[in-house]
Amino acid sequence: MPRAPAACSPEIEKAQAKSLEVRTAKAGQFAANILPIIEKIKAGGATTLRAIASELNERNVKTSRGGEWSAKQAQLVLERGANVQG
C-alpha cells in the first residue's frame, strides 16, 4: 500500500523558498537582457509573438536554456518585463 507523503521539514521549505527566489531573480535578469532586443525587433516591424520569436532565432539569440524561441517564450519574457516595469 502506498504511503502518504511525509510533511516537509522547515529546512526543506526554506530551501524551496530560496530556490524559487533564485530562479525568479535569474528569470528577471534574463528578461531584462532580452527586452531591449525584443523592443528593437518590434520597432523593426514585428507585430506578432511568432514574428518576434522567429527574429530572435534568426539573430541566434538563445533562450535561457540555450534553445530556440517559440511565441510562448517571447510572450512570457514580455509579460515578465511588463510586471517588472508596472
Side-chain angles (χ1 to χ4, degrees):
M1 191 183 268
R3 288 175 160 197
C8 289
S9 71
E11 292 82 20
I12 291 174
E13 288 177 1
K14 266 196 213 176
Q16 288 173 334
K18 182 63 176 175
S19 174
L20 177 62
E21 181 182 325
V22 168
R23 287 181 284 130
T24 301
K26 284 184 178 181
Q29 183 59 51
F30 181 79
N33 290 337
I34 296 297
L35 283 169
I37 299 169
I38 290 177
E39 291 305 319
K40 287 180 184 175
I41 291 170
K42 288 169 66 176
T47 58
T48 66
L49 294 170
R50 186 172 289 168
I52 292 168
S54 178
E55 186 62 30
L56 287 167
N57 289 327
E58 286 180 29
R59 294 181 184 202
N60 292 317
V61 177
K62 298 298 181 191
T63 65
S64 62
R65 293 186 177 184
E68 291 196 354
W69 287 89
S70 68
K72 182 63 176 181
Q73 289 166 313
Q75 177 186 16
L76 292 172
V77 169
L78 287 166
E79 287 174 357
R80 183 172 293 279
N83 289 339
V84 170
Q85 293 171 0

